[in-house]
Amino acid sequence: CVTLDAQAACQDAVVTQELLKEGFHRDLLVKVELGVLGENAGGCTVAARSHLPPGVYVDPYELASLQQQNLTKVVLIPDAIDVEAPEYLATGVLVLLYMEPDPWCSHCFRAVLPVHGRYHRPAEESEEALVVLKSPEVLVCCCDSHLSGGCWKPAEVEAPCSGKNTGSCQWYSVTHKPAYVESILQVPVGLRQHSSLVCVVTLLTTVLCSSLILAAVCKYGRFS
């Protein structure tokens, strides 16, 4: 059971997020420092709720594999995601990322979410598109106790407190200070002036490959 006084509960959390790796396939590292609450958060679950823009996506099949290995726990809304759609045909997704205690910090929590950049329209000048990932909202759920203090704001979240619970429970939004307001993912894009060259090379490659396949069929194929 967790007992929190109003003054302790109202202390701001600190949120940081960092993009790891390079290219289209990245890992989003989210860290939350809860101060007094974190040191007394036994029986509570901490989660980060992020609104990912259409420029990135989360692969539900990859997440299912990671969750089977107990490497992560995530709730996606909606849970059906078109991983092949380009940025201009995709929609954003709401992610609830469950966090684990940081072994190096007694009042800190962390989690890693694999994210992937989508293909963007060709640009006029820049060879990179910028995808802004805003700071997530910090949520706390204490299923075995009640949080006191008027500064806790109930949040509408249809998700269990932990993997052990099947039903939804009451989550609360935590006032927090993002160390960085946003993270920026740089996605490589093509240039429009290269469109003609790309079309010609693609057409020639298609004709060449089709000719090689047809020649192989005529030479080695058996026709009745």
Side-chain angles (χ1 to χ4, degrees), residues 6 8 13 35 38 49 86 110 130 141 150 158 172 193 197 206:
R49 180 163 63 174
R110 57 178 288 157
L130 302 182
C141 176
E158 293 295 331
Y172 291 87
Q193 56 263 38
L197 177 61
T206 303

Side-chain angles (χ1 to χ4, degrees), residues 18 29 39-40 46 58 63 66-67 75 80 86 111 120 126 132 141 150 164 186 188 194 215:
E18 179 183 359
L29 172 62
E39 296 176 353
N40 300 276
V46 180
V58 179
L63 288 183
L66 293 175
Q67 292 187 135
V75 174
H120 288 61
S126 175
V132 177
C141 176
K164 298 180 181 179
Q186 297 177 328
H194 296 163

Side-chain angles (χ1 to χ4, degrees), residues 3 9 20 35 40-41 44-45 51 53 56 65 69 79 87 104 121 163:
T3 302
L20 308 178
N40 300 276
C44 296
T45 300
H51 293 267
V56 296
S65 176
Q69 304 174 55
D79 56 0
E87 178 269 341
W104 307 107
R121 292 184 186 274

Side-chain angles (χ1 to χ4, degrees), residues 13-186:
V14 178
V15 180
T16 59
Q17 60 180 7
E18 179 183 359
L19 284 165
L20 308 178
K21 302 179 181 179
E22 298 292 337
F24 280 88
H25 310 288
R26 311 290 288 273
D27 285 338
L28 180 62
L29 172 62
V30 182
K31 297 181 180 179
V32 175
E33 182 179 349
L34 288 182
V36 176
L37 170 60
E39 296 176 353
N40 300 276
C44 296
T45 300
V46 180
R49 180 163 63 174
S50 299
H51 293 267
L52 298 182
V56 296
Y57 70 93
V58 179
D59 189 339
Y61 303 103
E62 180 183 18
L63 288 183
S65 176
L66 293 175
Q67 292 187 135
Q68 288 179 353
Q69 304 174 55
N70 293 323
L71 296 179
T72 188
K73 179 172 175 55
V74 181
V75 174
L76 299 179
I77 304 174
D79 56 0
I81 297 178
D82 185 356
V83 299
E84 301 293 338
E87 178 269 341
Y88 48 88
L89 294 179
T91 58
V93 61
L94 178 63
V95 176
L96 183 66
L97 178 62
Y98 291 77
M99 312 197 73
E100 296 290 338
D102 191 333
W104 307 107
C105 176
S106 61
H107 53 278
C108 302
F109 298 80
R110 57 178 288 157
V112 176
L113 177 68
V115 296
H116 308 275
R118 292 188 183 274
Y119 290 105
H120 288 61
R121 292 184 186 274
E124 292 288 350
E125 299 178 357
S126 175
E127 296 184 356
E128 291 182 331
L130 302 182
V131 180
V132 177
L133 305 179
K134 296 183 178 180
S135 179
E137 177 186 7
V138 181
L139 301 175
V140 174
C141 176
C142 299
C143 296
D144 300 328
S145 59
H146 297 282
L147 296 174
S148 61
C151 59
W152 291 91
K153 181 180 178 181
E156 295 183 3
V157 180
E158 293 295 331
C161 264
S162 66
K164 298 180 181 179
N165 301 322
T166 57
S168 300
C169 56
Q170 181 61 64
W171 290 83
Y172 291 87
S173 179
V174 180
T175 303
H176 70 281
K177 298 177 180 178
Y180 305 99
V181 176
E182 56 192 26
S183 297
I184 298 179
L185 173 64
Q186 297 177 328

